[in-house]
Amino acid sequence: RVDRGWLRRAHYGVYVVGALESELTAPTAALAAYGRNAILSHRTAAVLWRLLPARPVDPVDVTLLNANRRPRPGVRIHYAQAAQTRRRHGLRLTSPAQTLADLPPAELAHAYNEALVLNLITHQEVRAAINAGNQETGGAVLTLGEAELMVRSSGYLGSIADFQAIP
């Protein structure tokens, strides 16, 4: 069936049936390849939540919970001990608040505004996710009402010494 074009290999042991693809084909194949400890996260989750526009050249972001697997082509791996998860389109992915906490600084403000407009999150959920800290390095200022929060891997920056400690 592979020879006739009915099946196309997406990953080792994972095949796509038929010639048509959707925006869910690559994320579904990645989850199937990595198994039950895998969740869609970061930019891939943001696209599925409709927080950011899709970019065809982006790899699929997968977070492995308490697992260590080798990378596969077209997949960017992240590691975590725990994550807030939900289901969307039948796929396991990070919650909207967790997704925001995982995004790089350059995309955070746009995604945050979209999440509020789509009623996917509350300010309290975002505060909790930021408090829990994300898995990425870098930082961005996120404005919640009158408060400005610095998002980075260790949570808030609370003093001048915290700012000076940034490499």
Side-chain angles (χ1 to χ4, degrees), residues 142-157:
L142 179 62
T143 304
L144 293 174
E146 297 283 325
E148 288 188 352
L149 306 174
M150 176 61 98
V151 182
R152 64 186 295 251
S153 60
S154 60
Y156 297 106
L157 293 177

Side-chain angles (χ1 to χ4, degrees), residues 104-124:
E107 298 176 318
L108 181 59
H110 176 78
Y112 175 71
N113 289 332
E114 287 297 314
L116 287 176
V117 168
L118 295 171
N119 291 317
L120 294 174
I121 58 163
T122 64
H123 291 302
Q124 293 77 15

Side-chain angles (χ1 to χ4, degrees), residues 55-72:
R55 295 186 307 208
V57 296
D58 284 342
V60 176
D61 287 301
V62 172
T63 293
L64 299 176
L65 301 175
N66 300 312
N68 189 8
R69 306 275 307 272
R70 66 177 185 214
R72 296 172 186 257

